[in-house]
């Protein structure tokens, strides 16, 4: 969920809208054409998590791309990409090149552009989350959410993903249209983690900084937006101390403004554009 609005979303219907040194790709507003799949494999990240799950370690470099044709040429060991828009073949190609893959799925919001949008009960849909075509869902309805998200997580598993990035995980801090409490959110977030783990998938806690102490044991890594801008990055250090990666992105700050602190904290930090296309600048 983008911090300065709410939710990750589509910029146009049908298309949703990294640490390798201090290098950057050209700052071009147009979405770059997909690059070639590299011929040399990237060394996979170790997997010490319980149950044989993948466990990304602090400082692991990554790419986050949720829009445009998949650019598989970025030389990093982890790709976080859209679960619906990425094909099984593309996941297999990344795996063949030694990459780990994270399946982006919105778990706390309904999206009218997804193929399963008609499966959500209408009385489960709340207020808009700030992005066209998206609305918060009533996360207190655990049985309904479990039924819906189990199918999505099955898709991630069946496509060969290693992990899931569940988005919109902090309805209790937003005007969702439902009286969601912190305890409701904890129950929901723990259920989401269990759905992933039951399928052998690692899972990342998206934002929701206030509940890190309670959820650290349930999640294998963190994904954060704009902790530097809001001066919150220190709140993510429990993940680092536990040997778990924090994948972090800034949209409005330049790398000169946050990379020094990110390196001190061992965050995996990127500068990205809002549409989350292939362009990236890493620390």
């Amino acid at each position: 969920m983008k911090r300065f609005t709410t939710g990750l979303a589509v910029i146009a219907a049908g298309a949703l809208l990294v640490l390798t040194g201090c290098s950057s790709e050209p700052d071009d507003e147009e979405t770059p054409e997909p690059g070639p799949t590299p011929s040399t494999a990237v060394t996979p990240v170790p997997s010490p998590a319980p149950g044989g799950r993948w466990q990304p370690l602090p400082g692991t470099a990554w790419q986050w791309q949720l829009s445009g044709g998949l650019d598989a040429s970025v030389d990093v060991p982890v790709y976080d990409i859209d679960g619906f828009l990425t094909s099984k073949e593309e996941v297999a190609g990344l795996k063949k090149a030694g990459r780990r893959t994270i399946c982006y799925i919105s778990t706390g919001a309904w999206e009218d552009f997804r193929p399963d949008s008609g499966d959500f009960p209408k009385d489960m849909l709340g207020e808009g989350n700030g992005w066209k075509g998206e609305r918060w869902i009533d996360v207190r309805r655990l049985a309904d959410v479990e039924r819906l998200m189990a199918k999505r997580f099955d898709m991630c598993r069946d496509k060969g993903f290693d992990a899931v990035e569940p988005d919109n995980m902090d309805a209790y801090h937003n005007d969702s249209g439902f009286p969601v409490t912190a305890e409701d959110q904890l129950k929901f977030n723990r259920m989401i983690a269990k759905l992933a783990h039951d399928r052998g998938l690692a899972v990342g806690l998206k934002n929701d900084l206030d509940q890190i102490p309670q959820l650290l044991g349930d999640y294998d890594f963190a994904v954060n937006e704009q902790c530097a801008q809001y001066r919150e990055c220190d709140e993510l250090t429990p993940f680092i101390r536990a040997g778990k990666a924090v994948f972090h992105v800034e949209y409005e700050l330049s790398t000169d403004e946050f990379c020094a602190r990110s390196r001190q904290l061992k965050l995996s930090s990127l500068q990205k554009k809002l549409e989350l296309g292939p362009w990236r600048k890493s620390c």
Side-chain angles (χ1 to χ4, degrees), residues 10 16-17 82-85 104-106 110-118 120 152:
V10 159
L16 270 178
L17 275 127
D82 187 270
F84 282 101
L85 299 181
Y104 170 85
I105 291 291
S106 182
W110 173 82
E111 304 154 305
D112 67 3
F113 46 86
R114 296 302 192 185
D116 62 352
S117 61
F120 288 69
R152 289 186 170 192

Side-chain angles (χ1 to χ4, degrees), residues 5-267:
T5 53
T6 49
L8 269 171
V10 159
I11 293 298
L16 270 178
L17 275 127
V18 236
L19 289 174
T20 59
C22 290
S23 62
S24 66
E25 288 71 32
D27 191 358
D28 190 340
E29 290 298 326
E30 297 181 359
T31 302
E33 291 299 319
T37 300
S39 57
T40 58
V42 177
T43 301
V45 179
S47 306
R53 293 190 308 273
W54 171 53
Q55 174 65 74
L57 303 177
T60 300
W62 71 311
Q63 164 68 318
W64 198 18
Q65 183 185 343
L66 301 184
S67 71
L70 178 64
D71 181 355
S73 67
V74 182
D75 190 15
V76 293
V78 176
Y79 268 67
D80 188 338
I81 47 186
D82 187 270
F84 282 101
L85 299 181
T86 307
S87 69
K88 183 176 183 178
E89 291 73 23
E90 287 174 317
V91 175
L94 290 169
K95 182 176 181 179
K96 185 177 181 180
R99 271 63 182 257
R100 296 286 193 170
T101 50
I102 302 173
C103 183
Y104 170 85
I105 291 291
S106 182
T107 50
W110 173 82
E111 304 154 305
D112 67 3
F113 46 86
R114 296 302 192 185
D116 62 352
S117 61
D119 296 341
F120 288 69
K122 290 185 178 180
D123 63 352
M124 190 178 176
L125 308 183
E127 297 294 329
N129 69 353
W131 291 90
K132 184 178 179 181
E134 296 193 26
R135 295 166 64 178
W136 291 101
I137 63 172
D138 189 350
V139 299
R140 300 170 303 166
R141 294 173 56 167
L142 295 180
D144 286 321
V145 177
E146 183 174 16
R147 171 179 57 85
L148 294 161
M149 295 306 147
K151 293 178 182 179
R152 289 186 170 192
F153 284 24
D154 285 346
M155 175 187 70
C156 294
R157 177 199 60 201
D158 294 345
K159 285 186 175 182
F161 282 95
D162 297 291
V164 177
E165 180 211 331
D167 198 10
N168 297 294
M169 297 288 284
D170 52 2
Y172 75 116
H173 272 327
N174 289 273
D175 183 13
S176 68
F178 305 105
V180 179
T181 67
E183 185 60 31
D184 293 328
Q185 193 71 58
L186 279 174
K187 291 178 181 178
F188 172 82
N189 289 3
R190 285 179 172 139
M191 183 196 69
I192 291 297
K194 186 176 187 301
L195 283 174
H197 290 163
D198 286 349
R199 288 155 179 79
L201 300 168
V203 62
L205 180 64
K206 183 70 169 290
N207 298 323
D208 194 13
L209 298 176
D210 290 347
Q211 295 187 334
I212 287 175
Q214 296 99 316
L215 293 171
L216 180 61
D218 297 283
Y219 282 81
D220 304 295
F221 58 94
V223 180
N224 176 266
E225 295 166 292
Q226 299 172 277
C227 71
Q229 181 175 340
Y230 293 98
R231 300 182 180 181
E232 298 170 334
C233 292
D234 286 357
E235 296 182 37
L236 291 153
T237 55
F239 275 96
I240 300 299
R241 291 196 297 268
K244 301 176 179 183
V246 174
F247 297 118
H248 160 236
V249 67
E250 294 291 332
Y251 305 109
E252 298 186 346
L253 301 181
S254 70
T255 53
D256 291 340
E257 296 176 278
F258 64 87
C259 277
R261 183 58 176 159
S262 288
R263 284 191 288 266
Q264 288 178 348
L265 295 177
K266 298 183 180 180
L267 308 183

